[in-house]
């Protein structure tokens, strides 16, 4: 099969790029060895953490840090990308709410408050400014779900001035004991009887404690969460909000699902499970890539390529013990801090982040990969998302923002 | 200052000190043990995990070899739940002197170390990943040993016999009146309280720190701290301990222990047992040596690195450091220095800790007029509450030099030897898959809670009891879960959310230290995922303003914070 564009990597960046190209009428395939960081992260859109006004901060950042991916993609691309992703989510009945000009502060499963710009509608009732209205909040979980501990969450919220209490609910009867991972519990929430039983317990608690809001783990159904929230609100008589749990991220899976729907509608193909091992090209053109699935090698041809394989976490970059960092799909040159001794800070949570995680691929204004001498390696390749150099998506709190902005830009080039 | 009186004060909560406390208490002698960190905070928690057959020492240090061979059998009988009967190979690789094999066998016979030569084919059948170019193989009675569990069990026994074990108590001074040591001043590191301890005798079992303790009494004991580094690999490529058949050297042993294989070690003189780094070239060297035993060794995923310091005792009459014997030595400071009321026990190995304790306590008992005999070689250790008595018994070894001892141990019936499938079989038996707090190491909720209830002072203490956080993800999931359980369990006793937050931040950092030297490949990827979890999902970095010490959990006293940070 001959494609116009093949996107390598199925994270937010890759799917955004694929959607853009497919909507321009190209034949597009997304080729990935697994899911992207949607499945690990909180399922919110982080644009820039350390500012009340992320968009304002990004406007400044593009002036002071011209190599930052935001500067390369441009603020306009970010804004259009945000509109587009909200449309994608809305289309599956899972609206994202928020404002690029003002970070929301969302409670975490530790009871810390984490800034982010957009959250699914299922979370928004937990925003700190609402929590702070003086009316009590209940945090409720299930003993069986090991990734959510209401007493500690509530205690930490109280320490920050929010009236909150934590309880465990009783697990409604289920046929047999399985593992109660977030995904398993999310499936249980799709059963009306399960929801009704929990709703009754919540209603009783609300009657006794007069709670205005209830925070629950973000496992309220896989693909009908908005309805589940609405139903639990009706049953309990309080506002409901979800709090992200440890991976696997159910809200992240919902975002992925929304993109899957949009891509299918736009006629793009998604092939997950193929590991891209190398490319074949004669400078400055990439002709083909080879992927491996089930020990079988496959050659893929396309005119244009988007590399969206992520950084170290996504598997797009891999460091060797010798101190070399490789780009794993195409073997592109990687910008790396000089030696292994410069890779890490002494403290794990050092605010500055660990220099190794700024390693990545340098690109020009059209996101084309550059070598050490700033020459374009392939003119028909665009690099997007966390594979890019010179930024730290986690510490800067811009994982989703950069993915979407660069992905969007690559979709329009 | 509060003052307490006892017969004997033991300093040091490693294998030796804990063993001494048990022996003392079993003979009815009133005992307090003080340890500045948790039990096994010193070398005992940073060693290689090898229950020595003695083979390593048959040529250079025959006395040590004989001691190890004897104690090896004793320990199998008293602490089977802490030992795995892996057996051990000494192998001649193309890099080793082929003539040494015969010397080795002859010296094993002379020192009483059971040994049996095996064909290379038989070796490869048992351990197919070993280098096929190995030319000779000798089987010995090596095993692997969980020193955390062993020390915990020994301390439990000591307490059952009436000893007091004070962890996180630091000896800041010894009290000397004239020619006599009469006690010590200790500080509770968690609240700064100082306590006086009056005693008839001080037993200095402070390992590599023994010289520092002796100096507090004005006595010179020269202990040369020799640092050794180990690397745990995420695969148990071998189920048998593998030693190079040559004189002891760096990076020449691979020990399978629990789910990992540990390669070690190095020997670098360091000026101070509290300050040392793990150097990148040590790691590279050991990975390269590993490739000689198991081709491709360096390509496996490295999990973590750590380093410990050997307590090498330098006698006054030894001129050259290289001639220092590896056996232990009991120093009676009355005879040696004219200072009454203090003994020091220095040197030795983990494998010989019980014997060291026996000799020390024999000398002390005599001095105190106590004539009760030592019974530590006969009476088995109790199981701590974190361990279940399992009903399933693994198959017993029927071949090789360890077969007859294995049959004897099995006949004792009190607890089977540890085997790799132990925790899995427990989880299967209890159907507790859905209740694993640390999936990597199969630590169930009930075992984590047992560790908390047994008095764990921070997450690192819980780790030492149930191995949570020691698997491939180094705590990605279980640090959060365990912190929350600690809070829920101790909240009513006054442990605040702020204390819990501090415990979480402390443990995240404690895990990071041992990761940095081996962060590349998949382990680097894992570390980044852990960063996403703790920063990007949980916002743990934002808890700092509501994190504080207290609740008996964590201390920032520099006395316990061993600083090794180098990549
Ligand atoms: C790298 C390496 C690998 C080894 N591998 C093996 C092996 O595989 N098999 C084997 O049998 N042996 C091995 N050994 C030897 C063995 O680990 C040690 O001999 C043994 O653990 C020493 O135990 P210990 O109790 O004497 O000392 P430690 O375990 O060091 O105990 C001394 C304790 O004293 C405490 N302390 C110090 N100062 C104070 C103070 N002022 N107040 C209160 N407490 C204090 C310390 O915190 C420490 O916990 C190895 C040693 C090293 C260094
Ligand atoms: C036989 C054996 C097998 C092992 N296998 C594995 C394995 O499979 N996987 C693995 O990950 N690791 C393994 N390890 C290594 C282990 O996880 C540790 O790295 C090792 O025990 C050294 O401890 P540490 O890293 O905590 O030391 P350090 O990081 O030096 O910690 C210092 C100690 O000081 C204490 N401390 C420091 N600061 C404070 C404070 N402020 N308040 C209170 N206490 C403080 C900590 O509790 C800690 O105990 C193994 C170790 C051994 C001995």
């Amino acid at each position: 099969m001959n494609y116009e564009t093949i996107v390598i990597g199925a994270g937010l960046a890759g799917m955004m790029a694929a959607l853009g190209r497919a909507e321009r009428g190209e034949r597009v395939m997304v080729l990935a060895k697994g899911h992207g960081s949607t499945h690990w992260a909180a399922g919110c859109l982080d644009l820039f953490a350390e500012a009340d006004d992320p968009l304002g901060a990004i406007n400044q950042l593009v002036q002071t840090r011209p190599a930052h991916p935001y500067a390369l993609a441009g603020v306009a691309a970010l804004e259009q990308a945000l509109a587009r992703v909200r449309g994608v989510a809305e289309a599956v009945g899972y609206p994202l709410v928020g404002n690029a000009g003002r970070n929301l502060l969302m409670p975490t499963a530790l009871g810390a408050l984490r800034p982010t710009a957009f959250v699914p509608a299922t979370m928004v009732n937990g925003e700190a400014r609402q929590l702070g209205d003086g009316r009590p909040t209940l945090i409720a979980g299930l003993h069986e779900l090991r990734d959510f501990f209401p007493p500690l969450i509530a205690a930490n919220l109280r320490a920050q001035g929010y009236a909150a209490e934590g309880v465990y609910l009783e697990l409604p009867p289920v046929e047999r004991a399985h593992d109660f991972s977030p995904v398993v519990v999310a499936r249980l929430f799709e059963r009306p009887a399960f929801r009704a039983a929990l709703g009754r317990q919540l209603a009783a608690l609300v009657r006794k404690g007069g709670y205005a809001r209830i925070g629950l783990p973000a496992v309220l159904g896989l693909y009908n969460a908005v309805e589940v929230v609405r139903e639990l609100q009706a049953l309990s008589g309080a506002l409901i909000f979800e709090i992200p749990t440890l991976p696997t991220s159910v809200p992240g899976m919902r975002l992925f699902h929304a993109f899957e729907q949009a891509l299918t509608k736009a006629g793009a193909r998604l092939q997950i499970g193929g590991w891209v091992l190398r490319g074949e090209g004669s400078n400055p053109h990439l002709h083909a890539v080879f992927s491996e699935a089930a020990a079988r090698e496959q050659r893929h041809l396309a005119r244009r390529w988007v590399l969206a394989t992520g950084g170290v976490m996504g598997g797009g970059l891999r460091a060797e013990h010798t101190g070399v960092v490789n780009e794993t799909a195409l073997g592109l040159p990687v910008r790396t801090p000089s030696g292994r001794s410069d890779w890490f800070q002494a403290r794990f949570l050092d605010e500055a982040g660990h220099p190794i995680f700024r390693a990545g691929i340098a690109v020009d204004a059209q996101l084309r990969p550059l070598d050490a001498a700033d020459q374009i390696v392939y003119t028909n390749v665009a690099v997007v998302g966390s594979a890019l150099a010179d930024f730290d998506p986690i510490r800067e709190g811009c994982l989703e923002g950069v993915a979407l902005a660069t992905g969007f830009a690559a979709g329009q080039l | 200052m509060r003052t307490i009186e006892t017969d004997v004060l033991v300093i040091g909560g490693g294998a030796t000190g804990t063993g001494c406390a048990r022996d003392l208490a079993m003979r009815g002698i009133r005992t307090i043990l003080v340890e500045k960190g948790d039990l096994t905070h010193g070398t005992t928690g940073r060693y290689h995990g090898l229950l020595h057959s003695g083979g390593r020492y048959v040529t250079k240090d025959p006395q040590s070899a004989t001691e190890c061979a004897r104690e090896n059998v004793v320990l199998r009988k008293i602490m089977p739940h802490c030992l795995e009967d892996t057996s051990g190979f000494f192998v001649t690789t193309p890099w080793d002197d082929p003539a040494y094999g015969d010397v080795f066998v002859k010296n094993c016979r002379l020192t009483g170390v059971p040994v049996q030569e095996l064909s290379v084919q038989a070796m490869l059948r048992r351990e197919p990943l070993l280098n096929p170019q190995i030319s000779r193989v000798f089987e010995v009675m090596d095993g692997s040993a969980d020193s955390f569990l062993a020390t915990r069990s020994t301390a439990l026994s000591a307490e059952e016999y009436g000893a007091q074990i004070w962890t996180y108590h630091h000896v800041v001074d010894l009290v000397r009146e004239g020619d006599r040591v009469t006690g010590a001043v200790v500080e509770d590191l968690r609240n700064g309280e100082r306590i006086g301890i009056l005693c008839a005798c001080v037993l200095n079992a402070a390992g590599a720190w023994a010289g520092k303790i002796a100096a507090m009494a004005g006595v010179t004991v020269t202990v040369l701290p020799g640092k050794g580094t180990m690397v745990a690999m995420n695969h148990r490529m071998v189920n048998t301990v593998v030693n190079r058949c040559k004189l002891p050297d760096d990076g020449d042993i691979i020990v399978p222990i629990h789910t990992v294989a540990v390669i070690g070690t190095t020997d670098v003189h360091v000026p101070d047992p509290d300050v040392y780094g793990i150097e990148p070239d040590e790691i590279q060297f050991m990975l390269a040596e590993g490739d000689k035993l198991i081709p491709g060794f360096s390509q496996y995923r490295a999990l973590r690195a750590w380093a410990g310091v050997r307590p090498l005792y330098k006698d006054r009459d030894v001129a050259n450091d290289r001639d220092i014997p590896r056996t232990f030595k009991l120093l009676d400071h009355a005879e040696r220095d004219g200072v009454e009321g203090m003994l020091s026990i220095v040197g030795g190995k983990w494998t010989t800790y019980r014997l060291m304790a026996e000799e020390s306590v024999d000398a002390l008992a005599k001095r105190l007029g106590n004539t009760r005999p030592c019974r530590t070689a006969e009476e088995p250790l109790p199981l701590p509450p974190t361990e279940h008595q399992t009903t399933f018994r693994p198959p017993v070894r029927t071949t090789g030099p360890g077969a007859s001892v294995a049959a004897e141990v099995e006949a004792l019936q009190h607890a089977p030897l540890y085997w790799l499938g132990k925790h899995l079989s427990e989880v299967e038996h209890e159907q507790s898959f859905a209740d694993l707090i640390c999936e990597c190491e199969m630590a169930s909720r009930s075992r984590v809670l047992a560790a908390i209830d047994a008095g764990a002072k921070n997450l690192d203490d819980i780790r030492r009891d149930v191995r949570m956080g020691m698997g491939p993800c180094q705590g990605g999931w279980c640090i959060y879960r365990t912190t929350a359980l600690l809070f829920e369990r101790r909240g009513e006793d006054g442990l605040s959310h702020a204390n819990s937050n501090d415990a979480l931040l402390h443990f995240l950092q404690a895990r990071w230290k041992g990761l940095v030297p081996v962060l590349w490949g998949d382990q680097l990827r894992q570390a980044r995922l852990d960063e996403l979890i703790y920063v990007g999902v949980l916002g743990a970095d934002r808890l700092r303003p509501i994190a504080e010490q207290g609740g008996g959990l964590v201390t920032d006293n520099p006395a316990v914070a061993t600083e090794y940070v180098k990549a």
Side-chain angles (χ1 to χ4, degrees), chain A residues 108-109 143 146-147 156 168 247 313 318-319 321 340 348 392 395, chain B residues 284 436 445 480-481 488 501 509 519 521-522 525 528 531 538:
Chain A
T108 73
H143 267 296
R146 290 153 300 173
D147 296 328
N156 273 325
Y168 285 104
M313 190 174 61
R318 189 176 171 89
H321 67 86
R340 254 186 57 78
F348 176 56
D392 182 336
R395 290 311 170 104
Chain B
Q284 298 308 326
L436 292 180
R445 187 188 297 252
Y480 165 65
R481 294 170 178 167
E488 290 180 10
N501 296 341
Q509 179 61 19
L519 283 184
D522 286 335
R525 193 172 178 201
R528 184 63 159 166
E531 195 178 336
L538 294 174

Tab-separated table of all heavy atoms in Angstrom, chain A residues 108-109 143 146-147 156 168 247 313 318-319 321 340 348 392 395, chain B residues 284 436 445 480-481 488 501 509 519 521-522 525 528 531 538:
chain	number	residue	atom	x	y	z
A	108	THR	N	-4.711	15.927	42.985
A	108	THR	CA	-4.142	14.664	42.507
A	108	THR	C	-4.488	13.552	43.487
A	108	THR	O	-5.056	13.802	44.551
A	108	THR	CB	-2.610	14.742	42.416
A	108	THR	OG1	-2.078	14.722	43.749
A	108	THR	CG2	-2.152	15.979	41.694
A	109	ALA	N	-4.089	12.346	43.147
A	109	ALA	CA	-4.369	11.191	44.004
A	109	ALA	C	-3.516	11.210	45.269
A	109	ALA	O	-3.620	10.331	46.108
A	109	ALA	CB	-4.160	9.890	43.237
A	143	HIS	N	-11.409	0.055	48.498
A	143	HIS	CA	-10.219	-0.636	48.989
A	143	HIS	C	-9.556	-1.458	47.894
A	143	HIS	O	-8.345	-1.546	47.798
A	143	HIS	CB	-10.601	-1.599	50.127
A	143	HIS	CG	-10.475	-0.977	51.475
A	143	HIS	ND1	-9.259	-0.552	51.976
A	143	HIS	CD2	-11.383	-0.718	52.432
A	143	HIS	CE1	-9.448	-0.055	53.180
A	143	HIS	NE2	-10.727	-0.132	53.487
A	146	ARG	N	-6.125	-0.303	44.182
A	146	ARG	CA	-4.944	0.041	44.975
A	146	ARG	C	-4.296	1.349	44.551
A	146	ARG	O	-3.205	1.660	44.994
A	146	ARG	CB	-3.904	-1.060	44.866
A	146	ARG	CG	-4.284	-2.302	45.563
A	146	ARG	CD	-3.614	-3.462	44.907
A	146	ARG	NE	-4.022	-3.547	43.510
A	146	ARG	CZ	-3.521	-4.375	42.627
A	146	ARG	NH1	-2.577	-5.178	42.959
A	146	ARG	NH2	-3.945	-4.392	41.381
A	147	ASP	N	-4.919	2.065	43.656
A	147	ASP	CA	-4.264	3.254	43.136
A	147	ASP	C	-4.945	4.539	43.561
A	147	ASP	O	-4.827	5.565	42.894
A	147	ASP	CB	-4.197	3.172	41.606
A	147	ASP	CG	-3.339	2.004	41.170
A	147	ASP	OD1	-2.385	1.679	41.898
A	147	ASP	OD2	-3.624	1.417	40.128
A	156	ASN	N	-4.359	15.760	52.925
A	156	ASN	CA	-3.518	16.756	52.266
A	156	ASN	C	-4.348	17.939	51.768
A	156	ASN	O	-3.882	19.080	51.782
A	156	ASN	CB	-2.709	16.127	51.125
A	156	ASN	CG	-1.400	15.536	51.640
A	156	ASN	OD1	-0.781	16.073	52.573
A	156	ASN	ND2	-0.961	14.443	51.046
A	168	TYR	N	-13.818	4.962	52.265
A	168	TYR	CA	-13.858	3.841	51.320
A	168	TYR	C	-15.292	3.371	51.190
A	168	TYR	O	-16.009	3.264	52.173
A	168	TYR	CB	-12.994	2.686	51.826
A	168	TYR	CG	-11.523	2.948	51.650
A	168	TYR	CD1	-10.725	3.296	52.735
A	168	TYR	CD2	-10.934	2.851	50.391
A	168	TYR	CE1	-9.375	3.540	52.573
A	168	TYR	CE2	-9.580	3.085	50.224
A	168	TYR	CZ	-8.806	3.435	51.318
A	168	TYR	OH	-7.471	3.680	51.149
A	247	PRO	N	-1.016	5.112	36.439
A	247	PRO	CA	-1.229	4.408	35.170
A	247	PRO	C	-1.704	2.967	35.437
A	247	PRO	O	-1.331	2.408	36.448
A	247	PRO	CB	0.171	4.380	34.547
A	247	PRO	CG	0.951	5.452	35.245
A	247	PRO	CD	0.351	5.620	36.599
A	313	MET	N	10.913	8.245	27.386
A	313	MET	CA	9.787	7.483	27.926
A	313	MET	C	9.006	6.788	26.817
A	313	MET	O	8.616	5.634	26.944
A	313	MET	CB	8.862	8.382	28.733
A	313	MET	CG	7.829	7.604	29.491
A	313	MET	SD	6.884	8.667	30.567
A	313	MET	CE	6.161	9.767	29.378
A	318	ARG	N	16.817	6.182	22.943
A	318	ARG	CA	17.323	5.139	23.819
A	318	ARG	C	18.791	5.409	24.126
A	318	ARG	O	19.599	5.604	23.235
A	318	ARG	CB	17.174	3.788	23.143
A	318	ARG	CG	17.483	2.656	24.100
A	318	ARG	CD	17.237	1.305	23.449
A	318	ARG	NE	17.755	0.291	24.345
A	318	ARG	CZ	17.045	-0.279	25.317
A	318	ARG	NH1	15.796	0.057	25.483
A	318	ARG	NH2	17.603	-1.178	26.106
A	319	ALA	N	19.088	5.432	25.419
A	319	ALA	CA	20.461	5.721	25.841
A	319	ALA	C	21.209	4.418	26.073
A	319	ALA	O	20.647	3.469	26.602
A	319	ALA	CB	20.431	6.536	27.128
A	321	HIS	N	24.710	2.371	27.688
A	321	HIS	CA	25.549	2.585	28.871
A	321	HIS	C	26.870	3.272	28.525
A	321	HIS	O	27.549	3.811	29.371
A	321	HIS	CB	25.768	1.291	29.660
A	321	HIS	CG	26.581	0.245	28.987
A	321	HIS	ND1	27.939	0.218	29.059
A	321	HIS	CD2	26.221	-0.817	28.232
A	321	HIS	CE1	28.375	-0.823	28.378
A	321	HIS	NE2	27.360	-1.463	27.869
A	340	ARG	N	27.802	11.182	30.364
A	340	ARG	CA	26.868	10.600	31.321
A	340	ARG	C	26.903	11.314	32.671
A	340	ARG	O	25.905	11.361	33.381
A	340	ARG	CB	27.160	9.105	31.520
A	340	ARG	CG	26.134	8.207	30.830
A	340	ARG	CD	26.349	6.737	31.148
A	340	ARG	NE	26.316	6.429	32.565
A	340	ARG	CZ	25.224	6.311	33.309
A	340	ARG	NH1	24.044	6.479	32.775
A	340	ARG	NH2	25.301	6.017	34.584
A	348	PHE	N	16.242	13.723	42.876
A	348	PHE	CA	15.283	13.220	41.898
A	348	PHE	C	14.294	14.311	41.491
A	348	PHE	O	13.972	14.473	40.319
A	348	PHE	CB	14.544	12.018	42.505
A	348	PHE	CG	13.461	11.452	41.636
A	348	PHE	CD1	13.730	11.023	40.345
A	348	PHE	CD2	12.159	11.318	42.118
A	348	PHE	CE1	12.727	10.489	39.545
A	348	PHE	CE2	11.150	10.788	41.323
A	348	PHE	CZ	11.435	10.373	40.041
A	392	ASP	N	11.905	20.021	28.378
A	392	ASP	CA	11.593	18.904	29.260
A	392	ASP	C	10.082	18.885	29.480
A	392	ASP	O	9.544	19.635	30.288
A	392	ASP	CB	12.329	19.074	30.597
A	392	ASP	CG	12.075	17.903	31.540
A	392	ASP	OD1	11.041	17.218	31.392
A	392	ASP	OD2	12.910	17.690	32.438
A	395	ARG	N	8.873	18.376	33.321
A	395	ARG	CA	9.183	19.417	34.292
A	395	ARG	C	8.636	20.786	33.903
A	395	ARG	O	8.277	21.589	34.748
A	395	ARG	CB	10.700	19.518	34.523
A	395	ARG	CG	11.268	18.345	35.247
A	395	ARG	CD	10.446	18.037	36.488
A	395	ARG	NE	10.847	16.772	37.054
A	395	ARG	CZ	11.593	16.649	38.140
A	395	ARG	NH1	11.990	17.721	38.784
A	395	ARG	NH2	11.912	15.466	38.578
B	284	GLN	N	31.275	-0.208	34.571
B	284	GLN	CA	31.660	-0.707	33.247
B	284	GLN	C	32.556	-1.932	33.375
B	284	GLN	O	32.420	-2.907	32.643
B	284	GLN	CB	32.393	0.387	32.444
B	284	GLN	CG	31.565	1.624	32.156
B	284	GLN	CD	30.225	1.306	31.522
B	284	GLN	OE1	30.087	0.369	30.755
B	284	GLN	NE2	29.205	2.079	31.858
B	436	LEU	N	-1.773	-6.963	45.639
B	436	LEU	CA	-0.336	-6.737	45.665
B	436	LEU	C	-0.054	-5.240	45.703
B	436	LEU	O	-0.525	-4.493	44.859
B	436	LEU	CB	0.320	-7.366	44.431
B	436	LEU	CG	0.294	-8.900	44.402
B	436	LEU	CD1	0.959	-9.412	43.140
B	436	LEU	CD2	0.986	-9.461	45.637
B	445	ARG	N	-0.566	-6.692	50.430
B	445	ARG	CA	-1.000	-5.713	51.418
B	445	ARG	C	-0.757	-6.238	52.838
B	445	ARG	O	-0.273	-5.514	53.701
B	445	ARG	CB	-2.487	-5.420	51.210
B	445	ARG	CG	-3.024	-4.282	52.069
B	445	ARG	CD	-4.546	-4.181	51.963
B	445	ARG	NE	-4.998	-3.871	50.610
B	445	ARG	CZ	-5.496	-2.683	50.237
B	445	ARG	NH1	-5.585	-1.708	51.100
B	445	ARG	NH2	-5.902	-2.490	49.006
B	480	TYR	N	3.785	5.223	46.317
B	480	TYR	CA	2.527	5.927	46.593
B	480	TYR	C	1.630	5.073	47.490
B	480	TYR	O	1.111	5.523	48.512
B	480	TYR	CB	1.826	6.259	45.271
B	480	TYR	CG	0.371	6.650	45.428
B	480	TYR	CD1	0.009	7.804	46.110
B	480	TYR	CD2	-0.644	5.860	44.892
B	480	TYR	CE1	-1.320	8.167	46.261
B	480	TYR	CE2	-1.970	6.204	45.035
B	480	TYR	CZ	-2.316	7.354	45.723
B	480	TYR	OH	-3.627	7.695	45.870
B	481	ARG	N	1.464	3.822	47.100
B	481	ARG	CA	0.542	2.954	47.845
B	481	ARG	C	1.021	2.752	49.282
B	481	ARG	O	0.227	2.795	50.224
B	481	ARG	CB	0.462	1.589	47.157
B	481	ARG	CG	-0.165	1.666	45.780
B	481	ARG	CD	0.019	0.342	45.061
B	481	ARG	NE	-0.608	0.347	43.748
B	481	ARG	CZ	-0.378	-0.585	42.832
B	481	ARG	NH1	0.466	-1.580	43.087
B	481	ARG	NH2	-0.979	-0.527	41.668
B	488	GLU	N	-2.640	5.595	56.735
B	488	GLU	CA	-3.910	5.053	57.234
B	488	GLU	C	-3.698	4.232	58.499
B	488	GLU	O	-4.518	4.243	59.409
B	488	GLU	CB	-4.562	4.177	56.155
B	488	GLU	CG	-5.062	5.000	54.979
B	488	GLU	CD	-5.721	4.157	53.892
B	488	GLU	OE1	-5.969	2.952	54.108
B	488	GLU	OE2	-5.983	4.707	52.809
B	501	ASN	N	4.028	12.591	53.880
B	501	ASN	CA	4.569	13.212	52.669
B	501	ASN	C	6.092	13.215	52.712
B	501	ASN	O	6.757	12.968	51.700
B	501	ASN	CB	4.082	14.655	52.531
B	501	ASN	CG	2.569	14.735	52.346
B	501	ASN	OD1	1.937	13.758	51.980
B	501	ASN	ND2	2.001	15.903	52.615
B	509	GLN	N	13.835	9.787	46.956
B	509	GLN	CA	15.232	10.184	46.832
B	509	GLN	C	16.165	9.015	47.141
B	509	GLN	O	17.173	8.813	46.470
B	509	GLN	CB	15.518	11.381	47.754
B	509	GLN	CG	16.947	11.864	47.741
B	509	GLN	CD	17.393	12.337	46.368
B	509	GLN	OE1	16.580	12.638	45.487
B	509	GLN	NE2	18.698	12.382	46.154
B	519	LEU	N	21.569	4.190	35.124
B	519	LEU	CA	20.470	4.664	34.290
B	519	LEU	C	20.884	4.803	32.833
B	519	LEU	O	21.541	5.755	32.441
B	519	LEU	CB	19.932	5.998	34.817
B	519	LEU	CG	19.039	5.889	36.044
B	519	LEU	CD1	18.483	7.256	36.410
B	519	LEU	CD2	17.899	4.911	35.808
B	521	GLY	N	19.284	2.738	28.850
B	521	GLY	CA	18.369	1.716	28.333
B	521	GLY	C	17.009	1.730	29.014
B	521	GLY	O	16.454	2.782	29.323
B	522	ASP	N	16.479	0.536	29.264
B	522	ASP	CA	15.133	0.428	29.819
B	522	ASP	C	15.025	1.026	31.216
B	522	ASP	O	13.970	1.488	31.615
B	522	ASP	CB	14.700	-1.041	29.870
B	522	ASP	CG	14.356	-1.566	28.494
B	522	ASP	OD1	13.997	-0.743	27.634
B	522	ASP	OD2	14.462	-2.783	28.278
B	525	ARG	N	14.365	4.609	30.942
B	525	ARG	CA	12.986	4.798	30.504
B	525	ARG	C	12.041	4.663	31.694
B	525	ARG	O	11.105	5.442	31.871
B	525	ARG	CB	12.686	3.730	29.455
B	525	ARG	CG	11.444	3.978	28.709
B	525	ARG	CD	11.314	3.001	27.563
B	525	ARG	NE	10.057	3.264	26.899
B	525	ARG	CZ	9.436	2.388	26.132
B	525	ARG	NH1	9.960	1.209	25.912
B	525	ARG	NH2	8.296	2.708	25.567
B	528	ARG	N	12.107	7.662	33.886
B	528	ARG	CA	11.330	8.758	33.315
B	528	ARG	C	9.831	8.538	33.540
B	528	ARG	O	9.086	9.483	33.806
B	528	ARG	CB	11.639	8.869	31.822
B	528	ARG	CG	10.955	10.030	31.132
B	528	ARG	CD	11.397	11.371	31.673
B	528	ARG	NE	11.141	12.446	30.735
B	528	ARG	CZ	11.178	13.728	31.054
B	528	ARG	NH1	11.475	14.095	32.297
B	528	ARG	NH2	10.953	14.648	30.147
B	531	GLU	N	9.104	9.515	36.936
B	531	GLU	CA	9.047	10.976	37.035
B	531	GLU	C	7.684	11.477	36.553
B	531	GLU	O	7.079	12.359	37.175
B	531	GLU	CB	10.181	11.575	36.191
B	531	GLU	CG	10.452	13.032	36.500
B	531	GLU	CD	11.614	13.576	35.666
B	531	GLU	OE1	12.476	12.791	35.215
B	531	GLU	OE2	11.646	14.790	35.454
B	538	LEU	N	0.904	12.740	40.059
B	538	LEU	CA	0.624	12.899	41.489
B	538	LEU	C	1.019	14.266	42.044
B	538	LEU	O	0.593	14.636	43.126
B	538	LEU	CB	1.345	11.804	42.285
B	538	LEU	CG	0.846	10.374	42.025
B	538	LEU	CD1	1.723	9.360	42.740
B	538	LEU	CD2	-0.601	10.233	42.485
